[in-house]
Amino acid sequence: MRALDLDFMIGLVPILLGYLPLTLFMAVVGMVCALVLGCLLAMERVARIPVLDLFVKLYISFFRGTPLLVQLFLFYYGLPQVMPFLSGMTGVQAAIIGLTLHFSAYMAESIRAAIVGVDRSQWEAGEAVGMTRNQLMGRIILPQAARVAAPTLVNYFIDMIKSTSLAFTLGVTEMMGATQKEAASNFLYFEAFIVVAVIYWIIVEALSFVQRRIEVSLNKAFTR
């Protein structure tokens, strides 16, 4: 059994950290877009607009029921064959689209559950003072739903950061792609994957700490 090449592992750290901004860029952009889309889908699921509701259910079912990797391949390799105008799409763009659509389906259900979980008396109180539906949602329902949904949404962001590692299958050189290249050029796969695993682990633990702080802050705000 050979010893670990510590010099290679230490030297690999700054190389992989150089690709961290791209990893975070894909995750942040994907999270923002998924959150916006997820909110819209959740609002529709609560309103249950005829016909549109059927398409939204189908959308959520498809993106929750198929693997993210399959979806990424579908967007990057499949769609350009039937839609030639998409042939210029880059791997980063395809990865962001895939992350957005995939996680928006999960976020939609979490946000919908948080909205319908608000006590019915809150709805009735808002209606009793003459609030419109938009005012009721913006001033009463959504702030309370956000408190419930926030921890879950942070978890989705954590999952999204980890899922960016699939972007290397589209030819994107982010942290995982860089790890693959460095490992292949040195034949030190074990050491390379240990390093990238630890980097992802540290990022996730940092975000988990932020998540706990958010929960504490929200709980304080609602217990005063």
Side-chain angles (χ1 to χ4, degrees), residues 1 21 37 39 57 64-65 68 72 81 83 88 96 100 103 105 138 164 166 210 215 217-218 222:
M1 181 178 178
L37 182 55
C39 287
K57 286 181 179 178
R64 292 182 60 175
L68 175 57
L72 292 176
Q81 293 183 355
M83 300 179 182
I96 291 174
T100 295
F103 283 95
T164 59
L166 295 176
V210 173
E215 288 185 43
S217 178
L218 288 174
F222 278 84

Side-chain angles (χ1 to χ4, degrees), residues 58-185:
L58 183 63
Y59 171 94
I60 292 174
S61 176
F62 176 79
F63 284 102
R64 292 182 60 175
T66 56
L68 175 57
L69 183 59
V70 173
Q71 295 165 17
L72 292 176
F73 280 15
L74 178 63
F75 298 137
Y76 189 60
Y77 298 112
L79 285 184
Q81 293 183 355
V82 295
M83 300 179 182
F85 65 90
L86 294 177
S87 59
M89 180 169 53
T90 66
V92 172
Q93 292 170 337
I96 291 174
I97 292 172
L99 292 170
T100 295
L101 299 181
H102 181 82
F103 283 95
S104 67
Y106 287 91
M107 291 181 187
E109 287 298 281
S110 296
I111 296 170
R112 180 194 64 80
I115 291 174
V116 299
V118 176
D119 194 274
R120 186 62 193 173
S121 63
Q122 301 292 311
W123 296 79
E124 294 171 350
E127 292 171 350
V129 297
M131 284 187 177
T132 64
R133 187 174 183 83
N134 289 337
Q135 290 175 330
L136 180 59
M137 291 295 292
R139 298 178 183 179
I140 297 179
I141 304 304
L142 289 181
Q144 295 184 61
R147 171 175 170 262
V148 176
T152 303
L153 296 178
V154 176
N155 275 334
Y156 286 140
F157 181 56
I158 291 173
D159 286 341
M160 191 175 291
I161 287 180
K162 292 185 290 185
S163 296
T164 59
S165 62
L166 295 176
F168 87 93
T169 61
L170 307 182
V172 178
T173 305
E174 37 67 69
M175 282 205 304
M176 190 61 186
T179 303
Q180 288 279 87
K181 291 181 178 180
E182 293 295 325
S185 63

Side-chain angles (χ1 to χ4, degrees), residues 7-62:
D7 290 336
F8 170 75
M9 295 174 71
I10 294 172
L12 185 58
V13 172
I15 294 175
L16 297 187
L17 290 180
Y19 294 93
L20 180 59
L22 178 58
T23 294
L24 294 179
F25 172 77
M26 291 190 293
V28 171
V29 174
M31 181 66 185
V32 172
C33 295
L35 184 57
V36 172
L37 182 55
C39 287
L40 294 175
L41 294 171
M43 296 291 285
E44 193 289 322
R45 292 287 291 118
V46 173
R48 294 185 179 181
I49 302 171
V51 182
L52 182 58
D53 192 50
L54 177 62
F55 287 101
V56 171
K57 286 181 179 178
L58 183 63
Y59 171 94
I60 292 174
S61 176
F62 176 79

